[in-house]
């Protein structure tokens, strides 16, 4: 591992909030970018313990400043920071940054080689550009909520903001591409990420199937059109489950051997992959009669030993104690001045020579005001004091 982080000397001004934008900039910060997190001035009572913990999860390794962008002085300071930054990241609806005079056309006049990344629900163009949304909204627009349902049941969706994570990864990838392009050409550019498009691009062949024959794929729950058994099966214990997938006749034979070649496995209804798919309900019943006798871990380990795809349906407690994740250093512990020890997930990317580094927990509100305003912008102590009194910082 080299001594220099891969994104050292890259400075990013981060106006983003909630999850998608902060996740993108957290990845960049983990690999050495100096990310300056811009926070609004909020009274302490505006945040509860959950909000502080949520913010802490997605903003480690960043510097934190407070800035009131509803005041002209605050916008002027933001523009000074743009002038010394490599990139700007925001995930508001398109009209917000323009209302502050901080849209790309305005900012590139300040710094022509600036990279600006915008992450909005629908993208910066089109008739629905100003629609607002969070993860569940994006899931619904993208088609994911419909397809992640049980057959014949109302749409459910994944139950958490999966779209925010996807959009954050897409945004980080786009930023790296733009930084490389600027390194080669000296030119900045505007990056427009639609979170709905990012999510819709992961729907597999659903769109292709409809455009090819006019048939819209139906929700399948935990079933598969190619494998049986394929699902989540109850195991011994309270609310314990294991996911199992058997894709071909060879795997089926190995699966049956693990189960002790029970007599029902020789039923003609289960003789081929096609027959097993036709009789999936009956097959699932037999499989679960076996899994219910064993713990989820026993089911997983026995099937994995035979080369069958199987995995415990893990909850948060399982994840925190997972020996595989712990062996790879997946959990990051950092000390926070208000929250104490915090635990978050490591970046899921391992580079052999320039690994991610976890230097500091998320900043408290305005924690780095003095460094940013005094050391980077050259403000005097008197200037900073006056701006605080005016409610600008």
């Amino acid at each position: 591992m080299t001594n220099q982080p891969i994104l050292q000397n890259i400075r990013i001004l981060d106006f983003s909030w909630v999850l998608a934008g902060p996740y993108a900039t957290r990845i960049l910060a983990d690999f050495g970018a100096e990310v300056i997190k811009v926070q609004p001035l909020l009274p302490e009572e505006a945040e509860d313990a959950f909000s502080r913990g949520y913010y802490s999860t997605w903003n480690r390794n960043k510097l934190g400043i407070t800035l009131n962008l509803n005041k002209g002085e605050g916008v002027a300071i933001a523009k000074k920071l743009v002038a010394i930054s490599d990139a700007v990241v925001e995930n508001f609806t398109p009209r917000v940054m323009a209302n502050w005079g901080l849209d790309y056309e305005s900012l590139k006049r300040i710094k022509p080689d600036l990279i600006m990344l915008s992450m909005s629900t629908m993208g910066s163009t089109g008739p629905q550009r100003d629609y607002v949304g969070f993860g569940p909204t994006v899931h619904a627009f993208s088609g994911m909520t419909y397809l992640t349902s049980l057959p014949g049941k109302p749409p459910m969706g994944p139950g958490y903001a999966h779209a925010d994570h996807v959009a954050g990864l897409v945004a980080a990838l786009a930023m790296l591409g733009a930084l490389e392009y600027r390194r080669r050409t000296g030119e900045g550019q505007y990056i427009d990420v639609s979170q709905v498009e990012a999510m819709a691009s992961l729907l597999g062949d659903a769109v292709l199937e409809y455009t090819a024959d006019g048939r819209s794929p139906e929700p399948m729950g935990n079933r598969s059109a190619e494998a049986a058994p394929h699902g989540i099966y109850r195991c011994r214990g309270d609310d314990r489950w294991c996911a199992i997938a058997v894709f071909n006749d060879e795997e089926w034979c190995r699966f049956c051997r693990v189960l002790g070649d029970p007599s029902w496995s020789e039923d003609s209804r289960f003789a081929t992959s096609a027959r097993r798919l036709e009789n999936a309900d009956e097959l699932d019943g037999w499989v679960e009669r076996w899994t219910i006798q064993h713990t989820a871990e026993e089911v997983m380990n026995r099937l994995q030993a035979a080369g069958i795809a199987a995995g415990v349906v893990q909850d948060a407690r399982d994840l925190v104690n997972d020996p595989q994740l712990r062996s790879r250093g997946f959990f990051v512990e950092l000390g926070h001045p208000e929250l104490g020890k915090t635990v978050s997930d490591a970046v899921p990317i391992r580079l052999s020579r320039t690994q991610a580094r976890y230097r500091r927990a998320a900043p408290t509100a305005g924690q780095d005001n003095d460094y940013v305003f005094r050391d980077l912008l050259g403000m005097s102590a008197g200037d900073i004091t006056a701006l605080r009194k005016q409610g600008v910082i």
Side-chain angles (χ1 to χ4, degrees), residues 93-95 120-122 127-133 141:
T93 54
R95 62 180 181 271
S120 59
T121 299
M122 309 301 274
Q128 298 174 341
R129 66 188 294 271
D130 290 322
Y131 278 23
V132 297
F141 274 125

Side-chain angles (χ1 to χ4, degrees), residues 216-389:
S216 183
E218 295 293 326
M220 299 186 68
N222 292 319
R223 290 282 172 81
S224 166
E226 301 174 355
H230 186 286
I232 308 299
Y233 300 90
R234 184 180 293 277
C235 300
R236 193 173 73 212
D238 183 24
D239 199 26
R240 302 299 289 170
W241 307 79
C242 187
I244 300 172
V246 177
F247 278 89
N248 54 50
D249 291 338
E250 181 184 350
E251 290 183 2
W252 170 249
C253 290
R254 284 187 268 127
F255 176 79
C256 293
R257 281 198 294 272
V258 171
L259 273 62
D261 290 317
S263 58
W264 60 261
S265 67
E266 299 176 6
D267 191 309
S268 60
R269 292 175 301 170
F270 311 138
T272 65
S273 291
R275 296 299 310 278
R276 290 191 291 275
L277 285 167
E278 292 172 1
N279 298 282
D281 287 339
E282 293 86 351
L283 178 58
D284 283 347
W286 284 111
V287 172
E288 195 159 273
R289 289 185 183 89
W290 175 76
T291 60
I292 198 69
Q293 303 175 50
H294 308 278
T295 67
E297 290 75 14
E298 289 171 346
V299 171
M300 174 185 72
N301 290 331
R302 291 175 65 175
L303 291 177
Q304 283 286 350
I308 303 299
V312 174
V313 177
Q314 300 201 123
D315 58 20
R317 178 182 296 180
D318 294 320
L319 288 170
V320 169
N321 294 292
D322 187 292
Q324 172 68 15
L325 295 179
R326 284 190 168 274
S327 72
R328 288 175 58 80
F330 179 74
F331 295 104
V332 178
E333 295 184 0
L334 295 169
H336 190 278
E338 294 179 352
L339 301 174
K341 185 182 79 171
T342 63
V343 179
S344 58
D345 55 303
V347 65
I349 301 166
R350 304 290 193 275
L351 301 181
S352 63
R353 295 181 60 84
T354 51
Q355 294 181 20
R357 300 181 183 184
Y358 310 106
R359 305 176 299 281
R360 56 182 282 179
T364 56
Q367 178 177 328
D368 301 288
N369 278 0
D370 285 345
Y371 166 71
V372 172
F373 298 138
R374 182 189 62 209
D375 297 351
L376 296 185
L377 294 185
M379 293 183 183
S380 68
D383 292 335
I384 293 173
T385 299
L387 288 168
R388 285 198 178 105
K389 289 181 178 179

Side-chain angles (χ1 to χ4, degrees), residues 36-59:
I36 301 175
K37 176 70 176 176
V38 181
Q39 299 171 264
L41 277 69
L42 293 174
E44 289 188 10
E45 59 269 21
E47 291 189 334
D48 56 22
F50 175 80
S51 298
R52 289 193 295 272
Y54 192 88
Y55 168 85
S56 175
T57 299
W58 308 116
N59 289 287

Side-chain angles (χ1 to χ4, degrees), residues 151-181:
K153 300 292 185 180
M156 292 193 307
Y160 71 104
H162 181 54
D164 283 342
H165 296 80
V166 170
L169 288 168
V170 169
L173 175 63
M175 178 61 74
L176 293 175
L179 286 168
E180 171 62 14
Y181 180 79

